[in-house]
Amino acid sequence: MFDPRQDCVTPLDDRACAHRARLGCSWIAEGDGGLCLSCATTQLEPHLSADDAPALWEKAEAAKRWALVGLLRLGWFVGPDAPLPVFHMLSEKVDGARQSVMMGHQDGLITLNIMEADPARAQARKQRFAEPLRTMVGHVRHELAHFLFDRLAQTQPDFAPAFRALMGDERDDYATAMAAYYENGPADGWQDTHISAYATAHPHEDWAETAANALHLLDLSHSAQALNLGLAGDSALDQAQTVGVMLNHFCRSLGQPDPYPMIISPGVHDKLSFALGYLDCRGSAV
Ligand SMILES: [Zn+2]
Ligand SMILES: [Zn+2]
């Protein structure tokens, strides 16, 4: 079993999360409900009528745990005044019919589509939306980033002004900006300033895309450290970029697509550094 608050593995005992058998959850329970920190955040469970829904929910919950433990290591969700988001884990398939699931974050509620955990669907949507990196853990990190934005804006007085100076004013009308993005697409040369085309849609999406990628890269750098890989670069970000390039080359050797296909231009590097500075909140109360 895994204790996410102590960041360590413990022998299996009666503290196992109540979703261990049902969802393959490996975390220890906390609180009164018998659920672990992550399973307890699932406020709404998906409709499981589709044959593949139980397995995809299990994969989606695993991605949520992975994203949450990364944030716990950065000092998030520690202490009584540090709230966790709640999740609605929904399925697009209900009783043989397809229902639309809009993933997003609103006031601490994150909605996820468990069908995105299906590799075939993810691949098809990757091509349809021209998103080279589309993963379940990426979706979770993107939506968590919106939640963290609100926490940073509430708790760190210097965050909002610094954010606006770098990424724009998040108070710009969201619906208007999104309509313009879907009508016109990203501006030419967006790679100089944004991590993804979608990040150009609105400053909130720039933050969420940038922060999700910062968390991906930090995770890469931690994995490299755990494997004792000596890497060039002073910062975690630079070391992670090195790992990303290595991974891409390894996979090209095997005829596989680049696992980290993002372009990190100098302008994007500045935004990733900014995001990492605020995402690492060990020592500050958020
Ligand atoms: Zn659990
Ligand atoms: Zn978003």
Side-chain angles (χ1 to χ4, degrees), residues 17 19 25 27 35-36 38-39 65:
C17 172
H19 280 175
C25 179
W27 284 15
L35 295 174
C36 71
S38 177
C39 289
R65 289 196 299 277

Side-chain angles (χ1 to χ4, degrees), residues 38-257:
S38 177
C39 289
T41 64
T42 297
Q43 190 183 61
L44 192 59
E45 298 180 359
H47 207 281
L48 296 176
S49 55
D51 289 345
D52 54 354
L56 295 177
W57 182 27
E58 186 173 329
K59 288 173 80 171
E61 289 286 350
K64 174 152 71 75
R65 289 196 299 277
W66 193 268
L68 286 173
V69 76
L71 290 172
L72 281 162
R73 288 177 184 137
L74 291 174
W76 289 91
F77 315 132
V78 177
D81 297 325
L84 280 152
V86 295
F87 288 81
H88 286 183
M89 309 292 276
L90 303 182
S91 171
E92 284 177 329
K93 288 197 277 186
V94 175
D95 293 331
R98 188 180 177 282
Q99 70 167 11
S100 169
V101 174
M102 185 74 79
M103 291 196 286
H105 166 260
Q106 183 87 47
D107 299 329
L109 167 64
I110 290 173
T111 302
L112 294 172
N113 177 5
I114 63 162
M115 294 286 152
E116 287 280 343
D118 174 12
R121 277 190 190 82
Q123 183 63 27
R125 289 172 186 180
K126 210 188 260 191
Q127 290 173 350
R128 191 185 336 150
F129 300 118
E131 288 181 23
L133 188 61
R134 189 179 176 98
T135 63
M136 197 67 222
V137 77
H139 290 309
V140 184
R141 283 179 171 151
H142 177 107
E143 302 307 340
L144 278 167
H146 286 307
F147 172 83
L148 302 180
F149 183 97
D150 289 352
R151 293 296 302 156
L152 287 168
Q154 289 162 5
T155 59
Q156 310 281 330
D158 58 344
F159 173 71
F163 170 80
R164 288 169 193 151
L166 187 64
M167 297 200 201
D169 195 330
E170 82 286 0
R171 296 165 296 187
D172 290 350
D173 188 73
Y174 186 82
T176 304
M178 297 309 285
Y181 172 72
Y182 286 117
E183 176 78 20
N184 306 318
D188 289 344
W190 59 265
Q191 293 92 339
D192 294 340
T193 50
H194 292 80
I195 186 75
S196 70
Y198 188 61
T200 67
H202 187 276
H204 268 311
E205 299 310 332
D206 196 6
W207 164 260
E209 289 285 276
T210 303
N213 271 276
L215 293 169
H216 290 336
L217 290 163
L218 196 59
D219 206 345
L220 271 184
S221 124
H222 288 161
S223 296
Q225 286 167 14
L227 293 168
N228 291 319
L229 295 179
L231 295 172
D234 294 331
S235 68
L237 182 54
D238 291 339
Q239 291 176 0
Q241 277 187 260
T242 304
V243 180
V245 171
M246 288 166 63
L247 281 175
N248 290 348
H249 279 282
F250 288 142
C251 286
R252 287 174 198 179
S253 302
L254 299 170
Q256 298 292 325

